[in-house]
């Protein structure tokens, strides 16, 4: 277990009405039309609430619960294979048999992923207001993407990894209303929603860009992959992206 294989993830948790509606509309434009059925590799999902008597643990049991969490793990897993990474051949998929999710008490990040484990902070759950299941589902899409994405065996930049996880969140239509808009940010590898929006732009230049990039990142990462896939170096892509949508 090495340090860079931990992903500490923070999601915005303010709940506003109409969240997701804009994202949903964009989704219908950007989804590949021909994502075929995924040949199922069998994955088990286990959910353990290690703090069932704390306020956050009680909130989890009352507002989300283990059966709902397992269902979201399964649906997000299938979405990640078929739509995000388009890995319809099991040999392209990360060989995962069991994912364990812990509801545990810790400060700081909302979620931590390492290997095939995910910890969700009971303090984050306690703080959720409004549509709690909806927001929790968004966090699941992000964390589950970490479980299944390739990271060049640890050589890919951390903020690209976080950007790809938020890209999955973005196209899942569970992105909160305060998710960055197109053209926001200063650097392509700023991470999270900024990078997710940039990756969405790259998808518009080269169809299935993120799925192809992820596939290339199986054993090694190279920033030249951007140029291989689009014909343009990443810095030029970022300039053109900013020129198109820039704030
Ligand atoms: C996740 O939570 C479990 C259960 O409390 C704990 O054993 C483990 O150390 C935690 N992992 C991290 C990386 O915090
Ligand atoms: Zn993350």
């Amino acid at each position: 277990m090495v340090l860079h294989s931990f992903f500490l993830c923070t999601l915005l948790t303010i709940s506003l009405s109409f969240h997701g509606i804009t994202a949903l509309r964009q989704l219908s434009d950007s989804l590949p039309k021909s994502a075929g059925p995924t040949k199922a590799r069998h994955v088990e999902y286990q959910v353990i609430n290690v703090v069932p008597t704390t306020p956050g643990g009680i909130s989890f049991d009352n507002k989300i619960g283990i059966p709902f969490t397992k269902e979201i793990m399964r649906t997000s897993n299938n979405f990640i294979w078929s739509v995000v990474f388009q890995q319809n051949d099991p040999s392209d998929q990360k060989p995962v048999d069991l994912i364990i999710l812990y509801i545990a008490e810790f400060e700081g990040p909302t979620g931590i992923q390492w290997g095939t484990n995910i910890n969700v902070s009971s303090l984050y759950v306690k703080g959720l207001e409004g549509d709690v299941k909806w927001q929790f589902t968004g966090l699941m899409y992000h964390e589950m993407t970490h479980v299944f994405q390739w990271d060049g065996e640890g050589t890919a930049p951390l903020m690209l990894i976080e950007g790809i996880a938020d890209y999955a969140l973005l196209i899942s239509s569970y992105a909160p209303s305060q998710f960055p808009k197109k053209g926001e940010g200063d650097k392509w590898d700023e991470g999270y929603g900024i990078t997710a929006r940039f990756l969405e732009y790259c998808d518009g230049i080269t169809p299935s860009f993120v799925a192809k990039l992820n596939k290339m990142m199986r054993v090694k990462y190279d920033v030249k992959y951007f140029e291989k896939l689009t014909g343009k170096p990443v810095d030029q892509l970022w300039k053109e992206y900013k020129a198109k949508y820039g704030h």
Side-chain angles (χ1 to χ4, degrees):
M1 186 164 46
V2 282
L3 193 64
H4 60 237
S5 65
F6 282 79
F7 295 105
L8 307 178
C9 310
T10 306
L11 283 187
L12 300 161
T13 57
I14 306 156
S15 166
L16 299 173
S17 50
F18 304 120
H19 51 204
I21 291 179
T22 321
L24 195 58
R25 263 195 219 110
Q26 288 155 355
L27 177 69
S28 57
D29 297 334
S30 62
L31 282 191
K33 305 279 182 281
S34 60
T38 294
K39 270 179 235 145
R41 165 184 195 99
H42 185 71
V43 182
E44 292 281 339
Y45 310 103
Q46 199 177 339
V47 179
I48 304 169
N49 181 355
V50 294
V51 288
T53 59
T54 64
I58 292 167
S59 273
F60 172 79
D61 284 337
N62 289 344
K63 297 183 178 169
I64 300 167
I66 289 173
F68 177 80
T69 304
K70 284 188 177 174
E71 189 187 313
I72 294 304
M73 289 170 85
R74 185 173 52 77
T75 50
S76 60
N77 187 161
N78 288 334
F79 182 83
I80 289 159
W81 277 339
S82 63
V83 179
V84 181
F85 295 145
Q86 300 169 30
Q87 296 166 321
N88 293 311
D89 185 331
S91 69
D92 288 332
Q93 300 165 355
K94 193 173 269 193
V96 171
D97 301 317
L98 169 68
I99 303 175
I100 305 178
L101 181 142
Y102 299 97
I103 303 297
E105 190 165 308
F106 53 92
E107 308 261 357
T110 52
I112 301 172
Q113 170 272 337
W114 81 107
T116 56
N117 307 284
I118 297 169
N119 282 18
V120 173
S121 168
S122 59
L123 302 174
Y124 157 76
V125 173
K126 190 179 90 177
L128 288 175
E129 284 170 12
D131 193 339
V132 171
K133 280 187 170 172
W134 193 89
Q135 294 166 78
F136 181 83
T137 300
L139 175 65
M140 283 294 96
Y141 275 82
H142 178 106
E143 300 297 342
M144 289 288 288
T145 302
H146 282 321
V147 172
F148 289 101
Q149 72 190 148
W150 299 115
D151 67 355
E153 292 184 350
T155 60
L158 179 61
M159 287 299 125
L160 174 60
I161 296 298
E162 293 297 352
I164 291 172
D166 258 10
Y167 165 88
L169 167 64
L170 176 64
I171 69 166
S172 77
S173 82
Y174 287 97
S177 60
Q178 63 277 39
F179 197 89
K181 304 284 176 281
K182 291 175 198 282
E184 278 185 31
D186 299 320
K187 292 188 309 186
W188 75 268
D189 56 353
E190 213 167 308
Y192 299 97
I194 301 291
T195 299
R197 284 296 190 187
F198 175 64
L199 293 170
E200 177 190 42
Y201 168 78
C202 294
D203 258 355
I205 304 223
T206 300
S208 306
F209 175 86
V210 172
K212 290 172 181 163
L213 178 66
N214 180 66
K215 189 178 170 119
M216 293 170 95
M217 283 165 55
R218 185 162 185 158
V219 290
K220 180 173 169 284
Y221 170 77
D222 192 326
V223 72
K224 291 198 182 80
Y225 293 163
F226 281 83
E227 189 169 356
K228 277 196 182 134
L229 289 170
T230 67
K232 293 173 183 179
V234 73
D235 293 331
Q236 188 185 341
L237 286 167
W238 177 255
K239 272 196 200 119
E240 292 176 8
Y241 169 67
K242 289 298 284 185
K244 184 168 182 189
Y245 299 110
H247 295 267

